[in-house]
Amino acid sequence: MTYSQSSDIATSVSGDNWRCWSVGANYHGEGWFEITFTRAGYDWQGRAFDVVIKGFNIDNYGPVGSDNWPEAAAGTVFGVSLSSNPVQFYFCDNTSGWHAGSRTEMDLTITLRYSDTHAIVPYGANLFVDDLDINWTGDYACRESITLKSGLTGTVYVRSSAAGGNGLNEEKIRTNNVVESRLTTDCNLEFHCGFVTQMGTGTATIRWMGHNCGTWWQLAAVSYPSSLIQTPVKTVDDKIHFEGDTVTWKVDTFWPYSNSSNRPSTFAMTDKLDASLDPATVNIKVLKNGTADVSSQWTRHLNGAGSWCAHTSSVPMGKYVFEISAKLKKGLTFDGYGKANLTDGGSCYLVPNKAVVGAGSSDMSLSTTKTSNTVNAKVAWGWVEVNLGSANDSVSQL
């Protein structure tokens, strides 16, 4: 973590290991602070990005609704935990010396940028906010709120309490993009005043307001990007096969990069091989990046749906190639199969095949799947080409 701030904003480390930023009494300056977490994560393609947090438009007001505290005291406005994982952040106007009822407001911009170019990441993260309190001073309620200013999807997932319902003012969320408690007493007594919203792109701005206390929040990865599992591409060796020959297919796919906290329990490739192939001869090899043999990390078997399957509970990320081979049975006929003409005037039968990759709770329960293109293995049956060596010899069918 690196950080910087304007000269009128102070920073220090608290006794409980938080890096804090603070302003003076009745502050209404143009100060700012900026915090950068370098290579904080990576996108689905494995490209590293930074998280940059900037606070600005900071206002430290006197109390509202009371003449007992004529001014706002100096105090902490923002903090970052130096020990928690994942990192927690805190909006705060709570410090030894604040006057009960003083109010702090500030804008905060969150940016995800690629570590190599500093270009903005085209998709965002989840913003998880908790402890959005009401605090009772004895004279009036001090209410914390967050205004969703820009760069957010507009959908707010409200946290429910064990007592039922939630403590947030849903009407204000819908009409003003303001998230705050609807209660008149401390919402922690009965309700959980928390919510989750999602950044629509790699940058978003919110405005926080609080009295006497703080609101903690953190960034979290979005759910596993199942939609970004790439459609597999299937190929087959381009030659004429005869009974007893081994046919080899390749399935190229790309699995999104993700962290361990938001992944499905199973990743799988399934392939329903044609009845003309001998199941006892099937072999599946798994290559990471097309070269490193990681077959031992995958369970390979014939599943209950009659498809050959390779599945794993580890997290495949990046390029993977599945090599599937099986021998053609002997003594088969190919009635009903398609045919293709060959360049030398002969013909062959076509044995179709395609594969499916996906993720889910098991290899028999894949919640997201992508199906490959169909390829055809060329199989000659009932005739043999004989090419004699003399210039005067011809091609014959036996």
Side-chain angles (χ1 to χ4, degrees):
M1 181 183 82
T2 60
Y3 58 88
S4 58
Q5 60 278 326
S6 58
S7 58
D8 54 350
I9 293 183
T11 184
S12 61
V13 177
S14 66
D16 53 355
N17 206 28
W18 284 73
R19 165 67 62 181
C20 299
W21 284 263
S22 58
V23 298
N26 295 311
Y27 180 86
H28 302 284
E30 297 182 357
W32 54 270
F33 61 86
E34 186 172 282
I35 309 155
T36 301
F37 296 87
T38 304
R39 301 183 70 85
Y42 44 81
D43 71 2
W44 68 276
Q45 299 179 84
R47 189 175 174 187
F49 62 81
D50 307 335
V51 175
V52 182
I53 297 172
K54 184 172 183 177
F56 57 102
N57 288 341
I58 303 169
D59 294 298
N60 190 21
Y61 293 95
V64 177
S66 174
D67 295 327
N68 295 328
W69 306 292
E71 65 178 22
T76 298
V77 295
F78 195 77
V80 177
S81 173
L82 301 179
S83 55
S84 66
N85 185 22
V87 176
Q88 295 181 358
F89 308 96
Y90 218 69
F91 296 105
C92 186
D93 65 359
N94 186 355
T95 187
S96 57
W98 50 257
H99 294 191
S102 60
R103 182 175 96 248
T104 299
E105 296 185 22
M106 62 181 297
D107 284 348
L108 197 83
T109 294
I110 306 159
T111 301
L112 312 183
R113 69 183 190 192
Y114 285 116
S115 301
D116 51 359
T117 64
H118 288 188
I120 302 299
V121 176
Y123 25 76
N126 286 333
L127 176 63
F128 174 50
V129 179
D130 207 359
D131 191 32
L132 198 62
D133 284 337
I134 288 283
N135 288 289
W136 188 253
T137 68
D139 291 328
Y140 57 90
C142 298
R143 191 181 303 272
E144 297 168 10
S145 70
I146 288 181
T147 302
L148 310 176
K149 296 187 69 173
S150 64
L152 298 150
T153 60
T155 301
V156 175
Y157 299 91
V158 176
R159 184 178 180 181
S160 296
S161 73
N166 70 82
L168 298 180
N169 187 326
E170 296 185 23
E171 185 61 29
K172 277 203 170 183
I173 297 174
R174 293 190 182 97
T175 58
N176 300 320
N177 288 327
V178 174
V179 188
E180 67 178 26
S181 174
R182 61 178 170 82
L183 306 177
T184 57
T185 58
D186 189 341
C187 61
N188 285 334
L189 295 177
E190 185 179 3
F191 291 88
H192 293 291
C193 297
F195 70 94
V196 176
T197 189
Q198 187 174 346
M199 298 169 62
T201 63
T203 184
T205 300
I206 60 178
R207 185 165 182 82
W208 178 80
M209 181 185 75
H211 301 255
N212 293 11
C213 193
T215 302
W216 75 264
W217 62 280
Q218 61 186 214
L219 291 174
V222 297
S223 59
Y224 182 78
S226 299
S227 62
L228 297 177
I229 295 175
Q230 299 297 284
T231 299
V233 176
K234 189 154 196 177
T235 55
V236 63
D237 45 2
D238 188 24
K239 64 180 183 181
I240 304 299
H241 301 87
F242 297 88
E243 61 176 15
D245 280 358
T246 296
V247 184
T248 300
W249 296 265
K250 288 185 178 181
V251 181
D252 286 76
T253 190
F254 188 97
W255 302 90
Y257 281 73
S258 67
N259 63 36
S260 60
S261 65
N262 68 342
R263 70 188 186 200
S265 57
T266 299
F267 300 82
M269 185 283 305
T270 59
D271 194 325
K272 193 172 182 65
L273 296 178
D274 190 79
S276 62
L277 298 158
D278 183 355
T281 64
V282 172
N283 182 60
I284 303 175
K285 182 187 290 187
V286 187
L287 302 175
K288 183 176 182 178
N289 296 322
T291 55
D293 191 336
V294 293
S295 303
S296 62
Q297 299 175 14
W298 293 71
T299 300
R300 292 153 289 162
H301 66 104
L302 184 65
N303 69 18
S307 296
W308 284 94
C309 177
H311 66 90
T312 183
S313 58
S314 62
V315 186
M317 294 185 288
K319 177 181 172 62
Y320 279 75
V321 177
F322 299 87
E323 289 187 357
I324 308 160
S325 61
K327 287 187 177 182
L328 288 162
K329 294 177 181 178
K330 295 184 178 180
L332 287 177
T333 60
F334 284 84
D335 295 340
Y337 283 75
K339 283 187 176 182
N341 295 322
L342 302 175
T343 56
D344 57 15
S347 64
C348 66
Y349 291 102
L350 300 176
V351 177
N353 184 258
K354 59 185 176 182
V356 175
V357 298
S361 58
S362 72
D363 63 286
M364 294 295 291
S365 181
L366 300 178
S367 56
T368 298
T369 59
K370 296 289 180 71
T371 303
S372 76
N373 55 308
T374 298
V375 296
N376 294 287
K378 299 175 182 178
V379 180
W381 212 262
W383 59 275
V384 179
E385 288 186 355
V386 178
N387 293 290
L388 305 180
S390 169
N392 295 322
D393 291 328
S394 61
V395 176
S396 303
Q397 284 192 0
L398 302 180

